[in-house]
Amino acid sequence: MVGAAPVRHKSTGAHPGAEVTAGHDVRRYPGFLPVTILCLIVLYAPLIVVMVYSFNDSPSITIWGGFSLRWYEDVFFGLEAGKFKDAAWNSLSIAAMAATASTVIATSAAVGMVRGGAFRGKSASFALLSLPIMVPEIVTAVATLIFFSAIGFTLGFASILVAHVVFCIPFAYLPISARLQGIEGVYEEAARDLYASRAEAFRHVLLPLMAPGILSGFLLAFIISLDDFIITNFVKGAGVETLPTAIFGAVKQGIKPNIMALSTLMLAVSVVFVTVSWLVGRSGTKPGG
Amino acid sequence: MAGGGDTGGAGRIASENTPGTWAPLRGWLLAPSWLVIGVFLLAPVGMMLVYSFLTKEFRGGVIWELSLAAYDQFIFDRGLFGDEPPQLEWTYITIFGRSIAQAAAATVLCFLIGFPTAFFIATRPVHTRSAWLFLVTVPYWVNLLIRTVSMKFLIRDNGPLNEFLLWTGAISEPLALVNTNLAVQLGLFYSYLPFMVLPIYASVERYDFTLSEAAADLYADRWTTLRLVLIPAVIPGIVAGCILVFVPSLGAFLAPDLLGGAKNFMIGSLIEEQFKGNAGNWPFGAAASMILLSMVLVALLYYARQQIRGERAG
């Protein structure tokens, strides 16, 4: 390439003086597109394969026996339907409660951090807020189990819920504080100048502006809670199962087609949630910049 | 964690244009998060440290007697009753070594695939960029357990991957991938690949391409430009990506457990076995967790130092 006749390259116009280069577009590297495609294949192939086989009519997971919804029927009405329903109910109610609690805590913390001015211990506060994502999940799981057993807290629904609130906080906090950082302080100041109380300024001015961030924080916390296996597995106690722990227990005996159908359903829920969260986040960032 | 560097920058902007409107209520606003994380995470980690110095109760739990047995057990074998002369015990050192090697290999593999992907996405036109990025992030939000099970389904002996390879004639006998270190590696790579792409993408997107153009004007070929100009400029993103892949890989449980089997134990499985399995040695599990946590903290401190250096430089 070096020494080739200088050509006009497709400059994006960011730099008008740089139209002539040594003959290549500095934004293009041969082979990067194939690697990107490979990357996407690696990311999606396992999921697509499981999705396709969940519609397999055959009870064997190897042989394709035509299209059928029988395994979905099995998930909802089959032998294990009761188990799955209980697990799904636990998962969804824990996710809803943990996401709500962590979103409230994270919103309050975001206002304190972003609108609290400079104060001593700000970076310590930030470190504490990020602690749940810094500590490896397995370590959090061990520490939480030890803590509950030391204080004599019975393991079950409540212990799972408490553990989930903790690790959901940073996931709710990040989008909420990012949103708040993008909102200028002048709006609240104007409201306060017009004799709005602090509570009114929050409710009528700041909260509506923060709403997209809060919603995307809530959705991420919800997904993170639904997703968790390791910590739940440690603190669930006997008899209480969430969807991931139920699936884990089932796949220990081999991957069965009904598990693939259940997985596909959960996958669909995740994709819907993330898509909504993405669209909300995008619409939220446009006007404010 | 991915936003660590960004948050620092955004925090600076915020302190410039937003006064402390809520400063008087700051304590009350922050108290719930301090309380919840302090009581239910920080205190438990402290308690775990204490437990790692206690004596084990058979079948789980602890006896409140101080002991260094849990840490000693990592290095020495003193027989079943602890009264034999100590012999160097390689089992746990090997498990930790394997975990570090696997996590390092996953990091390198994620970089080799993740860097070109991040670069490619960052150089797309603005309106298609977020769609590409979305495609890369979606799998991350799919349940990790489901992703790992899917990987096992794909690569198992008579699974679709082997069938496909047999059909193309690339292999004549199915590859026995499941229960090998290679399968664990594939699982880790698959689990954490998006963590590598996102921070590198953020760095490359901010990169000033006129620097590359200047290098090209001076007759550097594109690979020299990449190596000597672009990569040094986006190092903070690369370090962030590597930490984000390395740290969770080190303590991973699902990939080694489901794809590796008993022969390819990593730290995560070793710890899990102390609490959920038959071994039931809580102080040993707590000690293993403390060692893992210290290793992670070292990696994070290194990351923080790199970020601070990067902010000073640019």
Side-chain angles (χ1 to χ4, degrees):
Chain A
M1 278 298 179
V2 181
V7 291
R8 291 179 73 84
H9 79 124
K10 283 176 239 148
S11 171
T12 52
H15 189 245
E19 268 120 41
V20 178
T21 71
H24 63 260
D25 183 343
V26 291
R27 285 177 180 78
R28 258 169 229 283
Y29 280 85
F32 279 21
L33 174 64
V35 174
T36 306
I37 290 167
L38 177 72
C39 176
L40 291 175
I41 290 174
V42 170
L43 287 174
Y44 284 92
L47 301 177
I48 289 169
V49 163
V50 164
M51 266 159 74
V52 168
Y53 273 85
S54 74
F55 294 107
N56 186 2
D57 191 42
S58 158
S60 151
I61 57 169
T62 317
I63 303 151
W64 179 255
F67 178 87
S68 137
L69 290 173
R70 64 182 282 198
W71 300 113
Y72 288 89
E73 203 185 308
D74 188 80
V75 167
F76 288 104
F77 308 107
L79 281 175
E80 293 175 293
K83 194 176 89 183
F84 292 148
K85 239 172 253 171
D86 289 347
W89 173 246
N90 284 338
S91 272
L92 291 173
S93 51
I94 287 170
M97 287 191 263
T100 307
S102 59
T103 305
V104 171
I105 293 169
T107 305
S108 158
V111 175
M113 288 289 284
V114 179
R115 290 292 202 263
F119 62 96
R120 262 186 62 199
K122 191 167 186 168
S123 34
S125 252
F126 185 72
L128 195 63
L129 280 166
S130 343
L131 195 64
I133 21 182
M134 304 287 187
V135 177
E137 259 192 284
I138 188 95
V139 176
T140 306
V142 168
T144 314
L145 172 66
I146 285 177
F147 178 74
F148 283 140
S149 95
I151 63 168
F153 195 96
T154 314
L155 297 181
F157 191 91
S159 58
I160 303 177
L161 182 59
V162 170
H164 280 222
V165 171
V166 174
F167 69 70
C168 284
I169 290 174
F171 289 95
Y173 177 79
L174 290 174
I176 296 172
S177 70
R179 173 77 193 169
L180 186 55
Q181 276 160 359
I183 302 168
E184 285 184 61
V186 290
Y187 301 108
E188 298 141 81
E189 276 163 31
R192 295 281 284 146
D193 286 346
L194 296 167
Y195 299 102
S197 71
R198 213 180 279 282
E200 284 167 338
F202 179 74
R203 235 185 50 160
H204 299 297
V205 179
L206 198 54
L207 196 59
L209 286 169
M210 286 171 77
I214 294 175
L215 184 57
S216 82
F218 175 85
L219 292 174
L220 294 188
F222 191 90
I223 285 287
I224 288 292
S225 168
L226 270 190
D227 187 70
D228 181 71
F229 166 73
I230 297 174
I231 296 170
T232 312
N233 188 38
F234 266 68
V235 300
K236 73 187 173 66
V240 183
E241 300 282 353
T242 62
L243 279 174
T245 64
I247 291 177
F248 185 78
V251 296
K252 277 283 167 184
Q253 282 114 43
I255 306 170
K256 295 199 192 74
N258 61 345
I259 294 299
M260 289 195 277
L262 183 58
S263 300
T264 305
L265 289 171
M266 289 178 68
L267 203 151
V269 170
S270 303
V271 171
V272 167
F273 259 76
V274 176
T275 309
V276 170
S277 169
W278 183 64
L279 293 174
V280 167
R282 220 173 48 148
S283 71
T285 48
K286 255 180 200 162
Chain B
M1 224 147 89
D6 296 341
T7 316
R12 263 204 322 268
I13 296 161
S15 60
E16 281 160 17
N17 68 13
T18 62
T21 333
W22 295 84
L25 294 178
R26 188 172 56 213
W28 292 107
L29 290 166
L30 290 169
S33 56
W34 288 340
L35 204 69
V36 170
I37 298 174
V39 171
F40 294 109
L41 186 58
L42 206 55
V45 168
M47 204 168 267
M48 184 177 77
L49 178 65
V50 174
Y51 264 52
S52 72
F53 290 107
L54 296 179
T55 308
K56 75 168 170 183
E57 169 97 84
F58 289 94
R59 295 163 184 271
V62 286
I63 300 165
W64 282 85
E65 257 171 60
L66 284 182
S67 154
L68 283 172
Y71 291 95
D72 186 81
Q73 195 184 337
F74 265 105
I75 312 168
F76 298 116
D77 179 12
R78 293 174 194 271
L80 190 55
F81 301 101
D83 50 4
E84 284 165 37
Q87 275 183 318
L88 209 54
E89 166 67 66
W90 286 103
T91 316
Y92 306 118
I93 300 171
T94 310
I95 290 174
F96 270 73
R98 182 186 300 128
S99 302
I100 295 171
Q102 286 279 31
T107 309
V108 171
L109 202 57
C110 284
F111 175 74
L112 291 179
I113 301 286
F115 181 83
T117 305
F119 184 94
F120 179 80
I121 295 174
T123 51
R124 288 310 89 201
V126 181
H127 57 277
T128 55
R129 231 178 260 172
S130 70
W132 279 99
L133 210 55
F134 180 69
L135 272 180
V136 172
T137 35
V138 166
Y140 168 67
W141 296 109
V142 172
N143 196 301
L144 182 59
L145 172 65
I146 291 178
R147 281 189 291 154
T148 312
V149 170
S150 305
M151 182 53 97
K152 186 170 186 173
F153 181 79
L154 180 70
I155 66 170
R156 72 190 203 284
D157 293 0
N158 49 2
L161 179 68
N162 271 317
E163 272 178 25
F164 175 76
L165 291 176
L166 285 170
W167 176 76
T168 59
I171 52 170
S172 54
E173 274 186 31
L175 304 169
L177 283 169
V178 174
N179 292 345
T180 63
N181 279 319
L182 188 64
V184 178
Q185 185 51 235
L186 211 55
L188 292 175
F189 163 68
Y190 176 50
S191 302
Y192 304 118
L193 181 58
F195 287 169
M196 182 64 85
V197 176
L198 297 178
I200 295 181
Y201 162 80
S203 291
V204 175
E205 201 201 14
R206 281 198 299 261
Y207 172 71
D208 181 1
F209 272 95
T210 52
L211 292 172
S212 288
E213 279 162 12
D217 286 343
L218 297 167
Y219 296 102
D221 68 54
R222 61 179 86 221
W223 299 108
T224 311
T225 309
L226 184 75
R227 201 160 48 84
L228 297 179
V229 182
L230 187 123
I231 287 186
V234 299
I235 271 289
I238 294 174
V239 172
C242 290
I243 294 283
L244 287 174
V245 172
F246 184 79
V247 165
S249 298
L250 198 59
F253 169 71
L254 285 171
D257 192 75
L258 289 170
L259 298 166
K263 273 190 186 162
N264 305 295
F265 246 44
M266 282 175 59
I267 306 174
S269 324
L270 177 68
I271 294 173
E272 201 252 9
E273 202 183 45
Q274 307 309 318
F275 294 92
K276 305 291 289 182
N278 301 320
N281 186 341
W282 282 34
F284 183 64
S289 303
M290 281 314 300
I291 296 172
L292 172 61
L293 185 60
S294 326
M295 283 161 46
V296 167
L297 287 182
V298 168
L300 290 177
L301 283 176
Y302 173 74
Y303 165 72
R305 241 184 50 183
Q306 286 285 330
Q307 292 295 321
I308 291 166
R309 199 176 288 172
E311 262 173 42
R312 271 193 205 136

